Amino acid sequence: MLNLLACELFGREMEIDASKVDWHRVLAEANRHVLTAFLYPGLRRLNGVPEEILSRARNAAMLSAARMEESLRVQDGVLELMRSRGIPCAVLKGFSAACRYPHPELRVPGDVDLLVGNENLERACAALEQVGYRRDHETEMHVNFVGSGGLSLEVHRSASVFPNTEKGRAAGAYMEQALRHTEPVKLHGYAIPVLAVPHQLVSLLAHMERHMGQAGIGLRQICDWAVAVQARRAQIGEDELQALERCGLLPFAQVITKLCERYLGLPPLAWAQDAPDALADAVMNDVLTSGNFHAQGRERNISSVMIDRAGENGARSWVVRNYVRYVQRRVRQNYRWAKSRLWIPLFCAYFPLQWALRVLRGKRKRVKISQAVHEAHARERLLRSLKLYQ
C-alpha cells in the first residue's frame, strides 16, 4: 500500500510482485485510511493484479471524483455567500490539501472546513441558516452545519484548539492573524481561498497533533502534509521554520516530514534530517494503528481522555488528573449551564456510568480499563517525545 502511495504521490518506482500480494488485505487497510482511490493509478500499471481488485479500486476512484465535484459545487456556493456578506474566509484541510495532489479527484473529501474567525462566526452562521443550512452541533473550535444534500460543513472560529502553554498560546495568537494571509488557488475551475505559508503548515500540523492526542490520525492526513511540503518546498525557508519554532511545532514538523521521506517517497528536505528515524517509525506505527479517526480500537477511544497531549498539566502526568481536565473541557463546551465547579465531580462519575449503561444496552462494546490506562501511558510518552508546543 505504501509503495503504491509513493508511486502516486511522488512517482517513485514500484517494487511489487503482484502474484505474492494478498490484495484483499491491502484494500482492507487502504479502506481503513480512506485511501483506496489513490491506489488505482499504480494498480493499473502492475501486471498480475486480479480484475476484482482493480475494479474495486477503479470504483473507489470514480466515486471519489464524483463526490469531489459535488462537494466543490456546494463549497463554491458557500464561498460566494461569504463574499456577498463581506465575510473573509479560507478553506482548511480538505480541498486546500487536495489541490496539491497529482490527481486531486482521488483525495476523497470529508466535510468542508471554512475558517471565518471568531469575530465573524455568528454572521457566517446566520447567513448559512438563511439559505437553508441546519445547525447540527457546536464545539470549542467550530459550528457544524448540515446542508440539504447531507454534506457536513464546519464553520471554524479557529484553525485548532491550542494548549494552554507558552508556545501553545503563541500558536493561537499567530493563527488569529491567519485570515490576513490568504491566497487563491484553482481546483477543477473553482477558485478557493487558502492560507498562505506558513499559516497553512501550522494549521495542518495542529490538526494532526490534536487528533493524535485524541483518537489518532490516519495516513490520509500524513499524505496531506507530504504533498503540502513538496508543493511549498521552495517557499519553506528560515522565516517559515522560525515561525514553526515560535509556535512549538518545528520538532513535530521534522518528524512527520522524515516519516514521509521514509515511507511515502517524499524527496528529502534538509531541515528535517535531524529528526530521529526511530521516532518517525514510532509515529508511523501509531498512525497505522489508528486508521482514519474512527477505525481505532475501543481502548484507544478511552485512553484519549486520559492523555495530556502537550504538557498542560506539568512535567508529571496522572491519568486521573488528565481525565478531570477532559471532563472540565467537555462540560464547558456542552453543558454551559453547569457553571459551578461543584458540577465537575458529578460529571466525572456521570460519564463512566453513561458509558456503562450503553454497554449494558449493547450500544457500546466492553473495554478493558487496565489496557486503556496502559495505552494512555504509552501514547503520552510518544506525544511528549514530539516536544509539542515546547
Side-chain angles (χ1 to χ4, degrees), residues 216-235:
I217 59 173
L219 265 177
R220 184 171 62 165
Q221 288 67 45
I222 300 296
C223 291
D224 285 352
W225 174 259
V227 296
V229 295
Q230 176 66 2
R232 304 301 189 98
R233 174 181 291 265
Q235 298 169 271

Side-chain angles (χ1 to χ4, degrees), residues 25-318:
R25 289 183 63 187
V26 171
L27 285 198
E29 188 67 15
N31 284 335
R32 288 181 68 237
H33 293 270
V34 199
L35 289 172
T36 304
F38 278 136
L39 305 190
Y40 178 58
L43 289 172
R44 287 182 59 193
R45 294 172 52 188
L46 283 176
N47 294 320
V49 177
E51 180 55 36
E52 176 198 354
I53 298 299
L54 195 58
S55 177
R56 287 170 59 186
R58 180 169 53 245
N59 288 341
M62 293 171 62
L63 288 171
S64 176
R67 185 175 178 184
M68 167 170 274
E69 189 61 33
E70 175 62 18
S71 298
L72 277 170
R73 184 188 63 79
V74 173
Q75 177 181 273
D76 192 59
V78 172
L79 291 174
E80 179 56 36
L81 177 65
M82 295 298 116
R83 283 192 290 267
S84 69
R85 304 298 174 91
I87 300 174
C89 62
V91 174
L92 301 174
K93 301 177 290 184
F95 293 119
S96 70
C99 65
R100 309 297 178 186
Y101 281 88
H103 297 98
E105 66 277 6
L106 301 182
R107 202 281 190 187
V108 179
D111 44 29
V112 173
D113 294 86
L114 197 67
L115 177 66
V116 299
N118 192 53
E119 66 277 11
N120 287 313
L121 181 68
E122 287 308 318
R123 286 178 60 211
C125 291
L128 288 166
E129 288 175 321
Q130 288 171 7
V131 297
Y133 280 85
R134 176 175 58 82
R135 191 184 294 234
D136 186 60
H137 65 272
E138 183 173 350
T139 72
E140 191 174 357
M141 188 170 61
H142 58 71
V143 180
N144 183 269
F145 286 86
V146 177
S148 57
L151 181 71
S152 177
L153 171 64
E154 293 182 356
V155 183
H156 286 249
R157 55 167 54 89
S158 60
S160 186
V161 176
F162 296 95
N164 188 27
T165 65
E166 181 179 352
K167 289 200 172 180
R169 292 188 293 272
Y174 184 73
M175 290 305 292
E176 284 179 3
Q177 309 301 316
L179 287 175
R180 299 180 183 179
H181 305 275
T182 63
E183 60 186 33
V185 297
K186 285 281 188 178
L187 181 57
H188 290 198
Y190 291 95
I192 302 174
V194 302
L195 299 181
V197 176
H199 289 87
Q200 187 182 42
L201 299 182
V202 173
S203 175
L204 288 170
L205 290 166
H207 175 65
M208 286 190 287
E209 71 79 16
R210 190 179 71 255
H211 282 292
M212 277 191 70
Q214 298 171 354
I217 59 173
L219 265 177
R220 184 171 62 165
Q221 288 67 45
I222 300 296
C223 291
D224 285 352
W225 174 259
V227 296
V229 295
Q230 176 66 2
R232 304 301 189 98
R233 174 181 291 265
Q235 298 169 271
I236 302 175
E238 193 61 32
D239 290 345
E240 287 71 27
L241 296 176
Q242 286 180 3
L244 294 180
E245 173 62 31
R246 288 194 299 272
C247 292
L249 289 169
L250 181 57
F252 185 49
Q254 292 171 319
V255 171
I256 296 297
T257 303
K258 177 62 76 69
L259 180 160
C260 294
E261 294 172 4
R262 289 172 63 78
Y263 291 98
L264 294 176
L266 174 68
L269 289 110
W271 54 266
Q273 297 315 299
D274 289 340
D277 290 349
L279 185 52
D281 293 343
V283 173
M284 186 58 160
N285 181 66
D286 188 76
V287 170
L288 292 176
T289 302
S290 300
N292 189 60
F293 303 151
H294 61 280
Q296 64 283 339
R298 299 185 299 276
E299 282 74 19
R300 177 170 283 256
N301 273 329
I302 298 300
S303 73
S304 66
V305 308
M306 306 176 186
I307 291 175
D308 176 17
R309 83 181 199 267
E312 288 181 278
N313 294 344
R316 299 191 59 174
S317 182
W318 185 31

Side-chain angles (χ1 to χ4, degrees), residues 3 14-23 26 46-50:
N3 230 308
M14 295 178 291
E15 298 177 0
I16 301 173
D17 183 347
S19 65
K20 296 182 179 180
V21 177
D22 184 342
W23 288 109
V26 171
L46 283 176
N47 294 320
V49 177

